[in-house]
Amino acid sequence: MRPVFCLLVCLSLAGCGTMAGGQRRGDGATLSPGWARVRRAAKHALSLPEVWAPAAGAAGIAACGADKKISSWASRETPVYGSQASAAKASNTLISISNAAYWGSVLAAPGGSQAEEWVYSKAKTAAAGVAANTAAFQLAVALQKTTGRERPNGAGKTGFPSLHTAYAASQTMSAYENLQSLKMTPAEAALARGALDSIPVAMAWARIEAKAHYPSDTLAGMSLASFLGAFVSEAFLGEFPLSLETAGKTPMLTCRLSFR
């Protein structure tokens, strides 16, 4: 536990600074982002490879009819995790890792040097990630009920999309959006992005080897949640003070989370 504690302390200290111009993460936060900001956020999210690449992969696999072949081979051979049970266990571990990555990014994001402004900045930053994760989770649940796709292991008709993968992708995308507020070199930013992207990718493959989902299920969950993570961050947190934005109206999202 000591290394984890030390890491959290270091991250919280790193988050005591400010962005260029003296701004803090969340200075532009709003519940009414306006249509101009919403459009910009949607365009930004759709441009990310974490969104369009898995979507294209899911579509390609489905079009070629390769879902069952890949699932059958991966769950039989389990080349990465060694067994279906180990893959299922790794899924739960990766949930914890994605949680740690997200909350670490909240602590690391610039929050100012004064205690009150630091707490306020962290609260707004955390709220955006929780909202994105809530939206991704609830949308995935709704799609599972609507599509009724049977899982490859026959354990119910809740296969599409993968909730585990959606959760991990939402957390890591929100984490990456937070880390972009830090003063990183291009190499550091690429390293952080690659490390975060590896978590939902590992999760997606774990769910396939565990025979819990088909490849298109996991890729669709990854794309959907990555979009929402980036969109919510840009639309509701933003990078600039609220005075630069046009007000609008947006609903708030709440839910209870439970994995199946």
Side-chain angles (χ1 to χ4, degrees):
M1 289 298 294
R2 181 172 294 179
V4 175
F5 175 76
C6 292
L7 174 61
L8 292 176
V9 170
C10 291
L11 287 172
S12 63
L13 291 174
C16 290
T18 58
M19 299 161 63
Q23 298 169 3
R24 298 169 296 274
R25 178 66 169 157
D27 274 355
T30 176
L31 289 175
S32 303
W35 285 113
R37 187 159 161 174
V38 166
R39 285 194 297 269
R40 186 168 68 244
K43 184 178 180 180
H44 161 72
L46 289 171
S47 71
L48 297 174
E50 290 87 350
V51 174
W52 58 258
I61 290 173
C64 295
D67 251 338
K68 292 185 177 180
K69 291 181 180 180
I70 296 174
S71 173
S72 178
W73 174 83
S75 60
R76 182 180 66 252
E77 300 296 332
T78 57
V80 175
Y81 296 100
S83 70
Q84 291 182 21
S86 295
K89 184 178 180 180
S91 300
N92 295 326
T93 300
L94 288 165
I95 286 291
S96 299
I97 293 174
S98 68
N99 280 331
Y102 174 68
W103 290 107
S105 75
V106 172
L107 289 173
S113 57
Q114 301 300 317
E116 183 177 353
E117 67 181 15
W118 186 90
V119 170
Y120 192 39
S121 172
K122 299 305 173 185
K124 290 186 289 185
T125 302
V130 170
N133 201 9
T134 296
F137 195 95
Q138 288 299 302
L139 183 53
V141 169
L143 285 172
Q144 284 188 341
K145 293 179 179 178
T146 301
T147 58
R149 188 182 195 187
E150 188 169 0
R151 292 172 181 261
N153 59 9
K157 295 183 177 181
T158 54
F160 182 90
S162 165
L163 284 182
H164 278 77
T165 308
Y167 185 95
S170 173
Q171 292 286 74
T172 53
M173 178 53 70
S174 294
Y176 179 65
E177 290 286 333
N178 289 337
L179 292 181
Q180 287 191 90
S181 62
L182 297 175
K183 298 176 181 178
M184 294 189 291
T185 65
E188 291 171 338
L191 180 61
R193 187 173 193 171
L196 289 170
D197 284 349
S198 70
I199 298 172
V201 169
M203 175 69 84
W205 189 252
R207 300 309 286 163
I208 296 170
E209 284 198 12
K211 207 174 182 179
H213 290 282
Y214 291 108
S216 61
D217 300 337
T218 62
L219 291 171
M222 190 186 306
S223 176
L224 171 70
S226 294
F227 172 84
L228 288 171
F231 174 79
V232 170
S233 177
E234 291 292 317
F236 296 95
L237 269 185
E239 298 180 1
F240 306 103
L242 181 57
S243 59
L244 297 180
E245 303 295 340
T246 302
K249 295 182 179 179
T250 307
M252 297 179 66
L253 300 171
T254 58
C255 81
R256 295 175 62 185
L257 306 183
S258 61
F259 288 101
R260 295 180 61 186

